Amino acid sequence: SADIEEMLEADLGDNVNVVLETGGASEWSFSSEADPSTRQRWVLENGEANLVQDSGEATMLDEDEVADFCSWAAEERPADRYILIFWDHGGGTIGGFGYDENYPDASALTLSQLRNAIKASGVTFDMVGFDACLMATVECAWAMEAVADYLVASEETEPGDGWSWTGFLTRLGSDPSIATTDLGRTIIDDFSAHYAETGDENTTLSLIDLREISRVYERLSTFLDEAADSIRADNDLFTTMSGARSRAKSYAEDSVDQVDLVDMIDRTDFEGTDDVSEAVASCVKYRSNTSSGSNG
């Protein structure tokens, strides 16, 4: 509810529409019409959230619902460009996205389900964003490559307030044709500045060019093949890789099996290390610089 109130404070101008679907929470406070028992769709206009559709009592963790929302939003408010933001809990590559307080036994959406849902909607996005934890992974970027040009997501867990919404939406409202890279920078800078003020300087947020993720993936695969061949030839080299993995920057207080790719491979001397690092540096167009050992 606090995030929606931040959105309502933004000056969207005459050419930007913000369309929301709410659900999955046991309580809402941003509007007297908000009903936690059902999924509701809203359009934000003139500082107010206007309820425009109810899509029924069911879990938000539904691939078909994601697809329907995307296609419906594009039909309801057609535009020259589209941005899609998933906004809730993230569990990374293995954990996927989403938790529904009203359907606690519902499984999170997997990366393949998210990709398939967006593809099924028929809408291609300038940007897919995750205001959620742990979603800036090679695997997530690979999944989103087919449906968007850019990904904005965090390697680390996000603080509870999530993104800072007012500033970047106001900038988009003042310049609807702003380059996606510039908008992504604004999202990241607003996010970092907000938490710097609270003393939390360990946040991560990255803008990833999905047109380059295939090169990262290919070079990573080559690196891993070379490392495997080296270890088969000299088993003592296994300690090089295992040591690099154990010392690399990790996330969620080591509760998930995710580490910073560049930090890990830079701790090895297998062939292809520089190629992977260069590919990542090119692919990550902008990132918060508040957490040592994180490369985006």
Side-chain angles (χ1 to χ4, degrees):
S1 293
D3 281 340
I4 296 175
E5 288 163 2
E6 289 179 11
M7 298 174 199
L8 292 171
E9 291 175 6
D11 183 356
L12 300 175
D14 297 325
N15 296 303
V16 171
N17 291 292
V18 176
V19 184
L20 307 177
E21 177 158 338
T22 57
S26 59
E27 183 179 356
W28 295 100
S29 62
F30 71 92
S31 169
S32 60
E33 292 184 278
D35 183 354
S37 70
T38 189
R39 302 173 300 195
Q40 296 177 306
R41 295 174 177 179
W42 311 75
V43 174
L44 306 191
E45 296 174 305
N46 302 315
E48 296 184 353
N50 297 313
L51 180 62
V52 292
Q53 191 178 73
D54 188 316
S55 63
E57 297 183 9
T59 179
M60 292 285 281
L61 301 174
D62 180 345
E63 183 179 335
D64 292 337
E65 182 68 7
V66 174
D68 185 72
F69 170 74
C70 292
S71 58
W72 170 85
E75 292 170 2
E76 181 75 11
R77 290 293 190 273
D80 295 323
R81 63 194 298 204
Y82 297 95
I83 295 168
L84 174 64
I85 301 175
F86 292 96
W87 160 53
D88 184 27
H89 294 289
T93 293
I94 301 300
F97 167 80
Y99 175 74
D100 192 318
E101 290 183 349
N102 299 317
Y103 297 85
D105 294 330
S107 299
L109 290 163
T110 66
L111 298 182
S112 61
Q113 286 177 316
L114 292 170
R115 178 196 61 226
N116 293 341
I118 301 170
K119 287 182 73 173
S121 74
V123 183
T124 300
F125 292 90
D126 274 11
M127 175 195 297
V128 170
F130 285 91
D131 187 2
C133 298
L134 303 169
M135 301 304 290
T137 68
V138 174
E139 297 85 5
C140 182
W142 182 262
M144 294 299 107
E145 183 270 339
V147 295
D149 292 333
Y150 292 90
L151 170 69
V152 175
S154 172
E155 286 186 90
E156 184 56 279
T157 54
E158 285 190 356
D161 287 350
W163 289 10
S164 183
W165 291 82
T166 306
F168 83 84
L169 285 177
T170 296
R171 185 171 184 191
L172 182 61
S174 68
D175 182 10
S177 63
I178 185 175
T180 308
T181 49
D182 291 336
L183 183 63
R185 286 172 176 264
T186 302
I187 294 170
I188 293 167
D189 286 344
D190 287 355
F191 178 81
S192 299
H194 173 77
Y195 292 107
E197 291 178 0
T198 67
D200 190 344
E201 298 185 352
N202 292 318
T203 56
T204 61
L205 202 60
S206 308
L207 173 67
I208 299 165
D209 188 337
L210 297 176
R211 290 165 293 192
E212 295 189 34
I213 197 63
S214 61
R215 186 160 63 110
V216 173
Y217 201 91
E218 289 163 5
R219 291 188 176 187
L220 174 60
S221 298
T222 299
F223 166 81
L224 293 172
D225 287 342
E226 293 290 343
D229 288 343
S230 297
I231 291 169
R232 277 191 288 267
D234 180 359
N235 194 58
D236 288 344
L237 292 175
F238 179 77
T239 58
T240 300
M241 181 61 82
S242 63
R245 166 62 184 85
S246 63
R247 292 191 299 272
K249 173 69 177 177
S250 61
Y251 299 98
E253 298 180 341
D254 295 323
S255 63
V256 296
D257 191 13
Q258 290 185 190
V259 298
D260 185 89
L261 172 59
V262 173
D263 190 43
M264 182 183 74
I265 66 168
D266 279 353
R267 296 174 184 274
T268 77
D269 55 4
F270 296 114
E271 186 175 344
T273 296
D274 291 343
D275 289 340
V276 178
S277 295
E278 289 169 5
V280 172
S282 178
C283 182
V284 177
K285 298 305 182 186
Y286 193 68
R287 59 187 172 89
S288 54
N289 204 20
T290 54
S291 182
S292 62
S294 293
N295 291 275

